[in-house]
Amino acid sequence: MPNIRVELLPGRTVDQRRDFAAQVTQAAVEALGARQQDVRIMFEEVAADFVANGGVLASEDDSRSAVVSRFGGA
Amino acid sequence: MPNIRVELLPGRTVDQRRDFAAQVTQAAVEALGARQQDVRIMFEEVAADFVANGGVLASEDDSRSAVVSRFGGA
Amino acid sequence: MPNIRVELLPGRTVDQRRDFAAQVTQAAVEALGARQQDVRIMFEEVAADFVANGGVLASEDDSRSAVVSRFGGA
Amino acid sequence: MPNIRVELLPGRTVDQRRDFAAQVTQAAVEALGARQQDVRIMFEEVAADFVANGGVLASEDDSRSAVVSRFGGA
Amino acid sequence: MPNIRVELLPGRTVDQRRDFAAQVTQAAVEALGARQQDVRIMFEEVAADFVANGGVLASEDDSRSAVVSRFGGA
Amino acid sequence: MPNIRVELLPGRTVDQRRDFAAQVTQAAVEALGARQQDVRIMFEEVAADFVANGGVLASEDDSRSAVVSRFGGA
């Protein structure tokens, strides 16, 4: 432990996941006093029409269109 | 919050997810007193041969063949 | 299936959970075509100082103080 | 209940999932005193470049290359 | 990996969890070809009035009263 | 999104969770290009006798006794 699950819109690259995993693991060591080898991080992609905020699918939410068009392919 | 995760057999349409997300968000506001904008709902599709009930894969469970054939493609 | 996980601030009553579970199950039958007996809903309470939005713990987020004081005991 | 979620590298066969689900359900009955029909098991495949241990993506972790090459297609 | 999450009614003993964890890990090695050291299992207790099946809280479900009285303390 | 779930041994302070949440949110913005306000992080404490690695409960795993005694109260 810690066991960390990251649900995010699709479209990030391996480089982005590598970079994020390294930063989060470092933060777990520094802020939580975890041992580096115990930190497990899993990513799960969730398409924009598979997530809703405030009852509105992200794929149909104007307030999110910029971030969805950058990442969240249906 | 609330944060709601919905694991379901594949095959539903965007219209079904939109409709369900709206109803569940409304229920969270009415029954749980949540603020609409705080409700986040994520759907994850799980194929019929990736879920087992009572030790039997749904794709091989006669008692579920009707619902699986309607939705749960392997 | 569906399997539904609801993470929410503590403080709701059994009546609220009962009511919400009934509404969500009904929505799963109507909107998703699920069989009532297959719908499983689990609630998990997450205290306000165990959840962060935009990097700020809900227990320290002025924009959420009303809803937190109503529910989210630390 | 119990509700059991299994996150694993891709590449296992239906036979392997069937066999594992049967064994875990049997263990839940024997060790936990669960009723067989109440045990639900869901599998989720996580590609090797979607999981990190100790801050290193499994797809880039020499200590895991054997198991990843056997299963964890990116 | 595999990463296994077990949600269950409260009331099991450490001995039961130890026994179940050992059996499930063995099954992961035998049936899934996992390496023993990679298998992580987490238990989460869910009280009977925090889970609903078919829209009915387990704490109020006559068909589950025996198993709930044995385990599922509210 | 992203939606991040952190399962960890009990015993961290609010300061540690605050610090970790801030670092992880910053990493999500920098590495994943997420909008800060969209990042939701939830912590769940899992006692040492509720998690097993390699089939051994963390509370009974000599290789983890130091980290467990620091955090993982049963």
Side-chain angles (χ1 to χ4, degrees):
Chain A
M1 304 288 270
N3 214 61
I4 300 173
R5 226 183 119 76
V6 182
E7 295 150 352
L8 73 177
L9 293 177
R12 270 72 174 205
T13 64
V14 176
D15 291 347
Q16 289 181 293
R17 290 196 299 276
R18 181 188 308 117
D19 186 6
F20 183 69
Q23 287 191 49
V24 169
T25 301
Q26 191 53 33
V29 172
E30 283 172 23
L32 300 178
R35 297 189 311 183
Q36 177 164 337
Q37 70 266 33
D38 295 338
V39 182
R40 177 172 286 176
I41 299 173
M42 281 158 297
F43 295 90
E44 180 195 352
E45 291 186 331
V46 184
D49 61 349
F50 276 73
V51 53
N53 294 280
V56 179
L57 294 177
S59 54
E60 300 168 357
D61 186 340
D62 294 340
S63 74
R64 296 173 191 269
S65 54
V67 69
V68 166
S69 63
R70 204 146 49 106
F71 297 122
Chain B
M1 303 287 270
N3 214 61
I4 299 173
R5 225 183 119 77
V6 182
E7 294 149 352
L8 72 177
L9 294 177
R12 270 71 174 206
T13 64
V14 176
D15 290 348
Q16 289 182 293
R17 289 195 299 275
R18 181 188 308 116
D19 187 5
F20 183 69
Q23 286 192 48
V24 169
T25 301
Q26 191 53 31
V29 172
E30 283 172 24
L32 300 179
R35 298 189 310 183
Q36 177 164 336
Q37 69 267 33
D38 294 338
V39 182
R40 177 171 287 177
I41 299 173
M42 280 157 298
F43 295 90
E44 180 195 353
E45 290 187 331
V46 184
D49 62 347
F50 276 73
V51 54
N53 295 279
V56 180
L57 293 177
S59 54
E60 300 168 357
D61 185 341
D62 293 341
S63 74
R64 296 175 190 269
S65 53
V67 70
V68 166
S69 62
R70 202 145 50 107
F71 297 122
Chain C
M1 305 286 271
N3 213 62
I4 300 171
R5 228 182 116 76
V6 182
E7 294 150 352
L8 72 178
L9 294 176
R12 269 72 174 204
T13 65
V14 176
D15 290 348
Q16 289 183 294
R17 289 195 300 275
R18 181 188 307 117
D19 188 5
F20 183 69
Q23 287 192 49
V24 168
T25 301
Q26 191 52 33
V29 172
E30 283 171 24
L32 299 179
R35 298 188 310 182
Q36 179 164 335
Q37 69 267 35
D38 295 338
V39 182
R40 177 173 287 177
I41 300 173
M42 280 157 298
F43 296 89
E44 180 195 353
E45 290 187 332
V46 184
D49 61 346
F50 276 72
V51 54
N53 294 279
V56 180
L57 293 177
S59 54
E60 300 168 357
D61 185 340
D62 294 339
S63 73
R64 296 174 191 271
S65 54
V67 70
V68 166
S69 62
R70 204 145 50 107
F71 297 122
Chain D
M1 304 285 273
N3 214 61
I4 299 174
R5 228 183 117 76
V6 182
E7 294 150 351
L8 71 178
L9 293 177
R12 269 71 173 205
T13 65
V14 176
D15 291 347
Q16 289 181 293
R17 289 196 299 277
R18 181 189 307 116
D19 187 6
F20 183 69
Q23 288 191 48
V24 169
T25 302
Q26 190 53 33
V29 172
E30 283 171 23
L32 300 179
R35 298 189 310 183
Q36 177 164 336
Q37 68 267 32
D38 295 338
V39 182
R40 177 171 288 176
I41 300 173
M42 280 157 297
F43 295 90
E44 180 194 355
E45 291 186 332
V46 184
D49 62 346
F50 275 74
V51 54
N53 295 280
V56 180
L57 294 176
S59 54
E60 301 168 356
D61 185 342
D62 294 341
S63 74
R64 295 174 192 269
S65 53
V67 69
V68 167
S69 62
R70 204 145 49 109
F71 298 122
Chain E
M1 306 285 272
N3 214 62
I4 300 172
R5 230 184 115 76
V6 182
E7 294 150 352
L8 73 177
L9 294 177
R12 270 70 174 206
T13 65
V14 176
D15 290 347
Q16 289 181 293
R17 289 196 299 276
R18 181 187 308 116
D19 187 7
F20 182 69
Q23 287 192 49
V24 168
T25 302
Q26 190 54 32
V29 172
E30 282 171 24
L32 300 179
R35 299 189 310 184
Q36 178 164 335
Q37 69 266 34
D38 294 339
V39 182
R40 176 172 287 177
I41 299 172
M42 280 157 298
F43 295 90
E44 180 195 352
E45 290 186 332
V46 184
D49 62 347
F50 276 73
V51 53
N53 295 279
V56 180
L57 294 176
S59 53
E60 301 168 356
D61 186 339
D62 294 341
S63 73
R64 297 174 191 270
S65 54
V67 70
V68 166
S69 63
R70 203 145 49 106
F71 297 121
Chain F
M1 305 286 270
N3 215 60
I4 301 173
R5 228 182 117 75
V6 183
E7 294 150 351
L8 72 177
L9 294 177
R12 270 71 173 205
T13 64
V14 176
D15 290 348
Q16 288 181 293
R17 289 196 299 276
R18 182 189 305 117
D19 187 6
F20 182 69
Q23 287 191 48
V24 169
T25 302
Q26 191 52 33
V29 172
E30 283 172 22
L32 300 179
R35 298 189 310 184
Q36 177 163 335
Q37 69 267 33
D38 295 338
V39 182
R40 177 172 286 177
I41 300 172
M42 280 157 298
F43 295 90
E44 180 195 352
E45 290 187 332
V46 184
D49 61 348
F50 276 72
V51 54
N53 294 280
V56 180
L57 294 176
S59 54
E60 301 168 357
D61 186 341
D62 294 340
S63 73
R64 296 172 191 270
S65 54
V67 69
V68 166
S69 64
R70 204 145 48 106
F71 298 121

